[in-house]
Amino acid sequence: RLALVTRTLTTAFVDLAHFLIVFLTIFLTYAVAAVQVFGPQLKAFHDFTSSVFTCFEILMGEFAFEDMLLVNRGFAWVWFWSFECLVFLVMLNMLLAIIMDTYGEVKSKSQDAVTLWEQGSTMIRRHRETKVGQRVELSDIHSAVASDDVWKREVGDLSEDRQISVEDIMACCEKCPQTQAARCLDRAKAYVEAQQSSNQRPLGTSDAARLILALDQRLSHLMHASGAMLFALQRHESSNMNGQFRKESGFSGSEEHDVVMGHDGRHTNGMNGNGAQRTNGAPPMLALRDVNGDSGGGVGLAGQLS
């Protein structure tokens, strides 16, 4: 775990080198422009070296913007704010993005790495077991296992489909206890599995951001499609209900009718426009009349709404 920082910088070295070329080009361009404009009247920009240090101080948040305005107001506004936006906001955040993305990849590869206190306890255990004769040095086990002559003499020919067992390790290294041989074999298998899984490229921050954006776009399309499908289902259900209503109300397929609803409680006794008589206080009436509008074509009272 302590090697995360050094591994991060080592892995990101190529990207940092290319970024440094672009960053220094932009940064030194601003330093030279400040020498040409502010140098004759401001001591902070009187030569190239002083201008570089002053630009670095501005990048860290320490600047005297009022002095630059007194020299050349228009150029000071353009130079200062473009420097802050391009170098401070863009370039420095790109640097942090490169480092954090690489750090995420390195950290994903070292999830099973031992912590500092685990490593310290392991060193104490090894020293105690070696002192009482319950452990041999790992270098002795490695020398015995790596020797072909020892394998052929003690174990025999090792085929490709045959796995190494605890007894094989104990046969090659006679002084190795069974517990240590089993522990070494388990850790060797875990190391091989970790190496095989590390060959796959881990998911970095930029990859995760792209996947999230793609997922958001697909969810938006799915929501639009669901809304369109729901609207179509509602229209289909409404058309079925209208057809059932027309069938129950006695509409014939050859005639076209419209529905006229009456409102009670506000009219006096009399005849409506279709010849249907209604009384004051009566419930709403459903009247039907022919679309052609003939006064004599009224079909009278068709039903009463409860």
Side-chain angles (χ1 to χ4, degrees), residues 153-229:
R153 184 178 69 251
E154 301 293 341
V155 181
D157 294 336
L158 185 63
S159 59
E160 295 181 356
D161 56 348
R162 180 176 179 270
Q163 296 183 354
I164 301 175
S165 62
V166 177
E167 290 74 14
D168 296 336
I169 298 177
M170 295 176 63
C172 295
C173 186
E174 298 178 355
K175 297 182 180 180
C176 180
Q178 183 178 0
T179 56
Q180 185 180 6
R183 185 168 56 246
C184 291
L185 186 60
D186 293 338
R187 291 185 176 180
K189 291 179 180 179
Y191 177 78
V192 172
E193 293 176 357
Q195 289 296 112
Q196 292 176 354
S197 62
S198 65
N199 293 333
Q200 300 178 356
R201 185 176 180 271
L203 185 65
T205 306
S206 57
D207 298 329
R210 285 194 294 268
L211 290 176
I212 291 174
L213 291 176
L215 180 61
D216 181 70
Q217 292 178 356
R218 293 191 177 185
L219 287 176
S220 299
H221 292 317
L222 181 61
M223 292 297 294
H224 288 302
S226 301
M229 185 179 298

Side-chain angles (χ1 to χ4, degrees), residues 6 22 81 89 111 130 162 285:
T6 55
V22 179
W81 288 111
L89 296 179
Q111 292 293 335
T130 304
R162 180 176 179 270
M285 298 297 178

Side-chain angles (χ1 to χ4, degrees), residues 229-247:
M229 185 179 298
L230 181 61
F231 180 73
L233 290 176
Q234 290 177 349
R235 291 191 61 185
H236 181 69
E237 184 179 359
S238 177
S239 62
N240 291 337
M241 292 180 62
N242 290 335
Q244 185 178 2
F245 174 76
R246 292 172 63 90
K247 183 177 180 180

Side-chain angles (χ1 to χ4, degrees), residues 20-149:
L20 188 62
I21 295 174
V22 179
F23 178 81
L24 288 179
T25 302
I26 298 175
F27 185 83
L28 295 180
T29 301
Y30 275 94
V32 172
V35 172
Q36 296 295 324
V37 178
F38 305 123
Q41 300 185 35
L42 295 179
K43 185 179 180 180
F45 300 98
H46 73 281
D47 59 1
F48 179 74
T49 304
S50 301
S51 180
V52 170
F53 279 102
T54 304
C55 289
F56 183 78
E57 291 177 355
I58 295 175
L59 196 60
M60 295 295 105
E62 184 178 354
F63 51 87
F65 183 57
E66 294 80 5
D67 297 338
M68 290 184 282
L69 289 177
L70 295 176
V71 175
N72 191 327
R73 189 176 186 86
F75 184 82
W77 278 100
V78 174
W79 184 92
F80 178 80
W81 288 111
S82 61
F83 181 84
E84 289 290 326
C85 294
L86 182 60
V87 181
F88 179 72
L89 296 179
V90 177
M91 301 302 292
L92 285 186
N93 283 283
M94 288 179 62
L95 176 62
L96 292 177
I98 293 173
I99 295 177
M100 293 305 297
D101 194 16
T102 308
Y103 177 79
E105 295 180 2
V106 173
K107 187 175 178 60
S108 63
K109 294 180 181 179
S110 61
Q111 292 293 335
D112 298 331
V114 295
T115 58
L116 181 61
W117 42 88
E118 290 177 352
Q119 188 174 4
S121 63
T122 302
M123 294 176 62
I124 295 174
R125 178 185 56 79
R126 289 177 178 177
H127 178 73
R128 184 179 64 254
E129 292 178 352
T130 304
K131 189 175 182 179
V132 298
Q134 297 179 354
R135 180 182 178 275
V136 296
E137 294 294 336
L138 293 178
S139 57
D140 297 338
I141 300 177
H142 180 267
S143 300
V145 173
S147 177
D148 294 336
D149 296 336

